[in-house]
Amino acid sequence: MLAIMVFGLVLIGASTGSGMLLAGLAVQQMAAGMAVPTLIAWARGKTPSAMRGRGMGLWTSAFFMGQFLSPAAFALTGIGLASVLGRFLLFGSFGLALAAVLFALCRRPTKDLA
């Protein structure tokens, strides 16, 4: 889901016309629609039932703090870049690289200790 989202950001940032821009927006927004239910299910699954209320409260606070701070982070990264599309390309490329590294780490076989 996150890889699909950042792929959409790369498409937006690399767009040369309205068709490519709309395709990138569609891909990114499709992944954004999957993000909240996926992250809630993940957070609920990792939290013990006795602490689920507090855990979900902390998760919700962190999620919406990220929603609040992301426009400021986006604006601050634009100081050295000329365009908004360049920032989308930067964030998307960074996200794809991070997704590739995490995927490689998660797919790495573990040693059998038995």
Side-chain angles (χ1 to χ4, degrees):
M1 177 262 315
L2 293 174
I4 295 168
M5 186 178 290
V6 296
F7 178 69
L9 292 177
V10 168
L11 282 176
I12 293 168
S15 65
T16 55
S18 60
M20 190 172 174
L21 180 67
L22 288 174
L25 289 169
V27 169
Q28 193 274 335
Q29 285 299 297
M30 180 188 64
M34 294 186 291
V36 173
T38 302
L39 291 172
I40 288 173
W42 173 74
R44 275 193 66 221
K46 297 290 184 185
T47 308
S49 60
M51 299 299 289
R52 196 158 286 156
R54 287 184 184 177
M56 291 309 299
L58 288 171
W59 179 90
T60 303
S61 298
F63 180 82
F64 286 104
M65 185 58 71
Q67 291 287 312
F68 176 74
L69 293 175
S70 64
F74 191 78
L76 288 175
T77 58
I79 294 171
L81 297 173
S83 70
V84 172
L85 292 179
R87 285 181 261 175
F88 275 104
L89 189 59
L90 173 73
F91 277 97
S93 299
F94 176 75
L96 280 178
L98 183 61
V101 168
L102 291 174
F103 184 76
L105 289 174
C106 290
R107 302 292 289 172
R108 199 172 67 195
T110 57
K111 293 181 180 180
D112 189 16
L113 299 176

